[in-house]
Amino acid sequence: MNLIREIIANYNYLITIFLMVAGLYIVVAKSNMIKTLLGLGVFQTSVYLLYLSPGKILGGTPPILDESFAVYSNPLPHVLILTAIVVGVATLALGLALVVRINEAYGTIEEDEIMDHVDRDDQA
Amino acid sequence: MELLINMVLLTLLAVITVGIIRVRNLFGVVVLAGAYSFLMASVMIVLDAVDVAMTEASVGAGISTVLALGALHLTKTEEAPPRYSAMIPLFVAVGTGAMLIYGTWGLPAFGLADTPMNTGVGLDYLNRNYGETNIPNVVTSVLASYRGFDTLGETTVIFTAGIGVLLLLKRFQREG
Amino acid sequence: MNAWPSETLVLLALSLPALGAVGIAIASRIPNLREAVTLTVAAANFVVVMTLLTRVLDGERPAAGGWEVFGGIEIAFLVEPFGMLFACVAATLWIVNSIYSIGYMRANDEPRQTPFYMCFAVAIAAAIGIAFSGNLLTLFLFYEVLTVSTYPLVTHKGTDEAMAKGRIYLLLLMATSMMLLLPAIIWTWVAAGTVSFAPGGILASAGLPVGAVAVLLALYIFGIGKAAVMPVHFWLPAAMVAPTPVSALLHAVAVVKAGVFTVVKVVVYVFGVDFLATSGAGDWLTYVAGFTVVTASVIALRQDNLKKRLAYSTISQLSYVVLATAILTPISIIGAVMHIAAHAVSKITLFFAAGSIYTAAHLTEVSQLDGIGRRMPWTMGAFAIGALSMIGVPPTAGFLSKWFMLSGGMAAENWVAVGVIFVSTSLNASYFLPIVYRAFFRTPPAPATGHEAHGEGPFPVVLALTITAFTTLAMFFFPDIPFALAEALVGQEVTK
Amino acid sequence: MSTAPLHLQDHLPALQVVLPLLGAVVAAIVRKGPLAWLVALAVSWSMPFIAFALLYEVMTNGTISYAIGGWAPPAGIEYRIDQVNAFLLVLVSIMAALVMTYAPRSVANEIEPERQGWYYAMFLLCLTGLLGMAITGDAFNVFVFMEVSSLSMYVLIALGRDRRALVAAYQYLVIGTIGATFYVIGVGLLFTMTGTLNLVDIADKLQAVENARPVIAALAFIGVGIGLKLALFPLHLWLPNAYAYAPSTATAFIASTATKVAVYLLLRFVFSVYGVDIAFGDTPAATMVLVLAVLAMVAPSLVAIFQSNVKRMLAYSSVAQMGYIMLGIAMVSQTGLTGGISHLFNHAIIKGCLFLSVGCMVYSTGITRIEQMAGIGRTMPLTMGAFVLAGLGLIGVPGTAGFVSKWFLIMAAVEQGLWLLVAVIVFSSILAVIYVGRIIEIAWFREPVNAAVSPRNPPVEMLAVTWVLALATVYFGFDTRITADIAGQAAELLLAGYR
Amino acid sequence: MRLDTILRVISKLFIPFIFIFALYVQLHGDYGPGGGFQAGVILAAGVILYAIIYGLNAAKRAVPIRLVEFLIPLGVLIYGAVGVWGLLVGDNYLEYNNLSHGNQPHGQERGVFWVEIGVLVTVASTMIAIFYAFAGRGRE
């Protein structure tokens, strides 16, 4: 019983952690560059939860002031995460652009194949 | 009720993530990623982060998907089978997870009002906002004024990315 | 010039050779002008140093510099008798060596002579910097400058062998100085709170346990790789690939002298003779030095290549100095100081002779020298004098220094040292005298054996080696100046 | 209704970051390479003056606090400048100015005309980001500018001529993003536990936090995140290729500034925000960093010896030098920190000089492979002369800047009786002797071959800048007032913490 | 083919509404969710949709690439300029309090308004530019 309460209390964090681990796993394990970048996206998105969850106040409303409400959720995490999202998309765009160029230069987007080419270049 | 919706949506998120890991067809992955973003957006609504939700929906589900599809269109759509065993990555990821569980277990429980975070600067904004700015949407006032410099930086990030992508992808007459 | 303040002179003595290097670079297009620059600068430098000498003999202790580098450590110069002596040796032999180089380099038309003369000048500057340095930091600075500036000289030939040997030279000297000497200096700084040389030493009051002092001394002795105490001596034979003038520079003028100079200086001014003698932290040094003296002589005995034999003889002669220092009595220290000067002039004579033989007859092995004395009387005459001095036979400079060492050893009842000196003297005799014998009393092989007729070496070469040979004798009859300086050195010691 | 007259000197902190930003904007608008360069040059030369003014202000009147948007911290974002980051600002802005002076013909040689304008814009953005990270007193603002600098860096690297540059940029992008995200996670945990983002505020709220676990975890995440950024061994894998294949100017600038700013951040968090007690008191952090630093000083140096590409060799040596710096930090003593911080400065100068001289060589001959450098010292004596001087600095020969920092590091080790560390330090400098000596030997004592025989002379401004740095290497070997002394003060400040 | 025409007709009707919505989001950002960033993205989405349906060249005719490339820095310039404006009226950088004759709330609103414009311009133009770049890379 107690454990369940614990879990409910920390459910957001648990999912957050799961997403982080999953995202990180994709990044490190997958050789396909586009998939890696999407995994990177998942990894970054999980941070959004890490910030937003503790800012939520049960029974609160969005932080748009109005006479009819008294309790508002914490606005600061929202601001930070807006910035974080922007950073995320910027990184994704740049990463994809790089992948396109790499594909043109090496004819593949599988990282381990490309590393073979790189090693060959180093020998030459 | 809030709590329940919140938990359900989160669970769905986790499920989709598993899908993203397992699916090999990159189109499928991109679509899943789009769905992921939509779910994330709805979670954000539950968490009262409406501005963020809006952004996540338009960026994550919109722009990102378009870009990813564009990139796929220029490259290829099947992921090659992995060459090396995934043990080390798994280890890294799980290690990070363990560190996180260790760290986050001491965090205040979900949804409380009297946590340091919700009694800190955030509350301060809510209280002083009306006197100082006439902007009801505190997120906007904090974004554009109290922490306006962050947003300038954020705009700069976009600017950087834009010019960067152009530098990398734009075809000039000489080449091609 | 006598009107000039001593500080100016000190700085002048340091900067003249450096400026000389610049001048040489500018004059690189016209060889004659370039050599003229070298000689003029060398001469000018000589005058400056001599002027300083007179003042030091008058009891003055010129100082200069004092630019703080960090945390109270300065780049500072202080001319005390011992440093003065070393500076005199370097300045004097620079002239002679330049004369010799001109003859040698042209006769064997060596490539890239401009960088050669430049590096040479810089090396001299570094040597004088070491001689005049007022604290360990300054000394270390110029010590490394000397290493770096002589590296191109060693690799001068540019052949793969030269480069391989150059690597050994650079690595060994850099490694020892950085891995042992630098930590030793910093340790001294942390322990004693100063690194300035002071009569009577600075560590006596530091309150280090005897064991630590012994370790520190070891760091110094082996850190000063230029002193070539075994086992850090490999670089010296390796450096034999260099052209003879460079060997002369390494063995007589600057490098190894800088090494033993530093050793003596550290023992006298950092540890303090009394402190070492009383604490007994330096006793092990006698054995290490003695071992080196004997072993090196034995190896020398087995070398047929003339320059190699000379190289090992240098190693053993250097350890004489260390040994004499390790005896830790004023007399023996005087011996050490005298020996630095004596060995310098004698060994440079020997190398000049070897180079002269190589230039004239293209011979490198001892076994080829039968009867060469008849063709090259001056060269071999000079060689004979140098050899006698090495053995320590009167009337040569070598006799004096050995005499002081011996009496020092006796006085201190350090029978190990005494025994070593006797043994090695006989060894010296047995690897030098045969050469002289061959040269004069063996009949030269018939020309058939590719022994084409040749006479003396080039004039500048012969001139140079005659001068040094003469000096070797002169120093026996007129030892006043080195003696005075040496006495001044230990004099401070005794009165202390 | 108050419109007070404008006093620029009060707003120097903001200008330090805003000027390069606006400069980048203008450069992106003018688009024409030469024009953009003029803009960039003007901006980057204004930087050192501002930085020195700030440094002077700090030295005379103590810490500066500037409230962006007029909102007093913690509500607003604070710019907070003390000895530590003022010193860093000076370093970064000087390097920017020098590299920018060096740049035009090198860039014209390596980047297509149409791209040059935007290239300079990127360069200024990178500068903006680095300065922003260094100057701000707000944890999240750091992240924003970290991303500005990182994104621009990825692009700069990707613009290298070799196709490997693209891969290097991609890998750096992935790793860099992971690092930044780790940092954000750490900040998020801190934010959750303290409810504020202002560093000073966090620092004193941390005292009240009774549950230490999230705080410690936050430190771990921030540490790892920054560790990735500063290429702390073994998190350095992105660095060698990035440095090796980026355009010469980018390499020179990034190598001499980016990692240094990351180190500063680490110092800031560990010492100022957490304070020695929390950071090292109940964690094995110090020992861990010490071990990593030792490994970093040895392993990459060994790798450097066997490199065939001179830029890669220098890159590996950079990783090793970061080891020196981390060592100084990990000894947690006045002397150690002084050594570490002054090495930050000295290494920046030395590496800058080395990469710039290589840049000259690339401009004149296109050579980057070591065996092709045979005899190049005889055909390009000025360029390789500078290389030799800086190389000696890298080794730490007395009379060079490198010696000063090494002196302090060894001294710190001796003070604490850590003889093993002394051995490691001197040993790794011997390794430096080997890999620098190898280049010097090939460049000066081998006979010139093909490309090296008749190079076109490098332009005067490139040589001039390279030599300015080379002479600086020697100068700071004797005058340590702006290195060791300020580093000493910074060390005191750090050890004191924000409280 | 017919489907295609239907699509074109619908989208012709649709796209203007997208722009209007974007405008609403931009201006209503003070009172409800939204702001420069979201509006910018939506605006860009409109153009992208247009490009997808009528082809890249048509879109480039409507929104020329030079213009976009000019707008990207312009937005940041606007934002930065608001900050300088703050300096000019003697306040700190990015301080809005005196932008409207010392009336703080008005000043704030004014500052925020222009800042959001800056964000809008940069975001929208960047998104469009990136889309152009990716789409344009495919040809030949």
Side-chain angles (χ1 to χ4, degrees), chain A residues 27 30-37 40 94-96 98-99 102 109 111 114, chain D residues 154 157-158 164-177:
Chain A
V27 176
K30 297 298 177 178
S31 158
N32 182 296
M33 291 179 158
I34 289 184
K35 193 150 184 180
T36 310
L37 288 176
L40 212 53
L94 210 50
L96 289 172
L98 277 170
V99 171
I102 289 176
I109 59 171
E111 197 167 356
I114 291 168
Chain D
Y154 309 146
I157 292 167
R164 278 167 288 184
L166 295 166
V167 185
Y170 167 82
Q171 287 171 331
Y172 185 19
L173 179 134
V174 172
I175 295 180
T177 310

Side-chain angles (χ1 to χ4, degrees), chain E residues 15-97:
Chain E
I15 290 173
F17 285 104
I18 296 184
F19 290 145
I20 295 169
F21 180 55
L23 206 62
Y24 168 79
V25 171
Q26 169 77 21
L27 299 177
H28 191 262
D30 293 5
Y31 310 97
F37 187 77
Q38 295 88 334
V41 174
I42 296 170
L43 203 65
V47 177
I48 292 174
L49 183 63
Y50 185 85
I52 291 174
I53 292 163
Y54 294 90
L56 189 59
N57 296 335
K60 280 184 175 168
R61 271 193 302 278
V63 189
I65 187 100
R66 302 290 296 177
L67 173 69
V68 177
E69 287 174 2
F70 169 73
L71 288 179
I72 297 175
L74 184 67
V76 185
L77 188 58
I78 295 173
Y79 203 136
V82 176
V84 178
W85 185 8
L87 290 182
L88 292 180
V89 298
D91 293 348
N92 277 1
Y93 189 78
L94 273 181
E95 181 167 348
Y96 312 142
N97 292 339

Side-chain angles (χ1 to χ4, degrees), chain B residues 21-103:
Chain B
I21 297 181
R22 301 212 57 80
V23 176
R24 287 213 171 290
N25 178 302
L26 294 174
F27 272 115
V29 175
V30 172
V31 174
L32 278 178
Y36 175 93
S37 298
F38 264 120
L39 265 177
M40 183 57 85
S42 28
V43 173
M44 288 166 170
I45 294 180
V46 177
L47 295 177
D48 294 341
V50 279
D51 291 79
V52 188
M54 194 169 175
T55 319
E56 175 64 18
S58 53
V59 171
I63 296 293
S64 305
T65 315
V66 173
L67 291 182
L69 290 175
L72 281 182
H73 163 64
L74 295 176
T75 58
K76 59 180 195 157
T77 65
E78 266 308 314
E79 177 190 357
R83 220 190 262 185
Y84 312 106
S85 84
M87 279 325 292
I88 301 149
L90 203 60
F91 175 75
V92 172
V94 172
T96 320
M99 201 157 90
L100 271 161
I101 294 181
Y102 168 87

Side-chain angles (χ1 to χ4, degrees), chain C residues 69-70 73 163 167 178 189, chain D residues 407 411 426 441 446 480:
Chain C
V69 175
F70 39 67
I73 307 184
M163 269 187 254
R167 259 175 245 140
M178 287 202 167
W189 164 249
Chain D
W407 174 278
M411 198 164 121
V426 291
E441 181 187 299
R446 292 225 186 282
T480 59

